[in-house]
Structure formats: C-alpha cells, structure tokens
Amino acid sequence: MENNKMNILVEFELSGEPVSLPYYTSGNFENGDEESALTAVCTVLQHRKQKAGCVVIHNLKIHYNGQLVFEKSEYCIPNYTPAL
C-alpha cells in the first residue's frame, strides 16, 4: 500500500524494543476506544509473528488520521492468540 493511504500508526515498546507500524483500516477509530486499540495492537503483533501468551507492551500510542487517539504507558493482553 502507498503511504498516503495509511491511516493508522501504532507505536509501542515490546521487551525494550521500539515497534512502529503504519497500516490502513477501513474501520473507524473513536478517541480512546479500547476495542479498536486492542485490534490495532493485535494487528501489529500478528505482523511481527508474536507468539501466543501474555503480552505486555509499554508506551503505546495509536494515531488515527494523524491524531493521537489512544495512549497508555502499559498495556497488557493476558491471553494473546495469533489469528490463523
């Protein structure tokens, strides 16, 4: 996809390593929407081929159409399971 079509940017730290991934979604992202944030994080984890289990990330920031819409210093997914 072309960069001008990317409307989501997910940034965080996982095991001390910075992670940043822009991508496109046709869905809508409301400011502070926890369910959309989980979907965005899981999309990035799947792209990174993260193994199943408890995943704790730090300094999560999600930008939607250029605006910061979700931010947490620590975000935990206790039972992350990659999609098939």
Side-chain angles (χ1 to χ4, degrees):
M1 284 181 204
E2 298 174 22
N3 283 339
N4 61 357
K5 294 187 179 190
M6 303 295 180
N7 63 353
I8 290 227
L9 174 62
V10 181
E11 301 175 303
F12 56 82
E13 293 176 14
L14 180 62
S15 301
E17 178 185 339
V19 176
S20 178
L21 180 71
Y23 69 93
Y24 173 79
T25 182
S26 59
N28 201 5
F29 200 121
E30 297 294 325
N31 194 13
D33 180 6
E34 188 86 27
E35 186 174 332
S36 293
L38 177 62
T39 299
V41 169
C42 287
T43 298
V44 174
L45 292 174
Q46 183 173 343
H47 178 77
R48 292 179 44 84
K49 299 186 183 342
Q50 178 68 36
K51 294 180 182 176
C54 181
V55 176
V56 178
I57 60 176
H58 296 91
N59 302 320
L60 171 63
K61 293 181 183 178
I62 301 175
H63 302 266
Y64 179 69
N65 290 331
Q67 292 188 319
L68 181 64
V69 293
F70 194 87
E71 183 174 23
K72 277 203 169 177
S73 59
E74 184 175 285
Y75 192 79
C76 180
I77 304 172
N79 295 308
Y80 170 72
T81 305
L84 300 176

